[in-house]
Amino acid sequence: MSTFINKVLFTRAGYGLTVLRIVVGIIFAAHGSQKLFGLFGGYGLTGTAQWMESIGLTPGYLMATLAGGTEFFAGLALIIGLLARPAALGLAFLSLVAIFSVHIGNGLFMANNGYEFALALLAGSVAVLIEGAGKLSVDQAIAR
């Protein structure tokens, strides 16, 4: 296996990171399904695109597709532990955009639409990015 691929897939992390990876993946996949498919009370691509346009993220349809697609598919990747580091990188970037384009002006707390939840998801994504997928992951099975 090439050195680069081995570095992407390799993990020494244990079961704790596996739990974190799966929970963060479920949350991101659920949020992505709201944006893409309108599930769980979401607005789907059209509604999300209109909202993104309203906050200055243009073109709205493209931004909604990119954000929803990243959340959904990278979230699924985290759940199964496949290419977890690249998925976590995309989700970390997405979290930073959410923090600085939507939540930062509202302070820390979620009660005021603040950035605490996005910050927690950012931290989980960065942990997976640094440590890898952990045990019970497709990445670990491939890297052996």
Side-chain angles (χ1 to χ4, degrees):
M1 186 178 311
S2 80
T3 305
F4 176 72
I5 292 173
N6 194 41
K7 286 181 181 179
V8 169
L9 299 178
F10 180 75
T11 181
R12 284 188 299 260
Y15 293 108
L17 195 53
T18 298
V19 171
L20 177 68
R21 169 181 54 83
I22 292 169
V23 171
V24 168
I26 290 169
I27 292 168
F28 273 118
H31 279 264
S33 68
Q34 288 179 311
K35 290 176 180 67
L36 292 177
F37 313 120
L39 298 176
F40 308 114
Y43 298 108
L45 273 176
T46 303
T48 303
Q50 290 171 351
W51 177 77
M52 287 194 166
E53 288 269 352
S54 77
I55 64 166
L57 294 173
T58 59
Y61 197 82
L62 176 63
M63 294 297 119
T65 303
L66 290 172
T70 300
E71 285 179 332
F72 184 73
F73 292 108
L76 291 178
L78 286 189
I79 292 168
I80 64 173
L82 176 63
L83 298 173
R85 281 190 171 104
L89 179 62
L91 293 169
F93 179 76
L94 187 96
S95 297
L96 286 170
V97 171
I99 288 169
F100 288 107
S101 66
V102 178
H103 302 291
I104 197 76
N106 300 318
L108 175 66
F109 298 104
M110 283 178 49
N112 298 323
N113 196 29
Y115 58 88
E116 75 176 312
F117 185 61
L119 184 64
L121 291 175
L122 172 63
S125 298
V126 169
V128 174
L129 180 62
I130 293 168
E131 295 295 327
K135 296 201 183 291
L136 301 178
S137 67
V138 175
D139 285 356
Q140 175 141 354
I142 293 170
R144 288 182 189 179

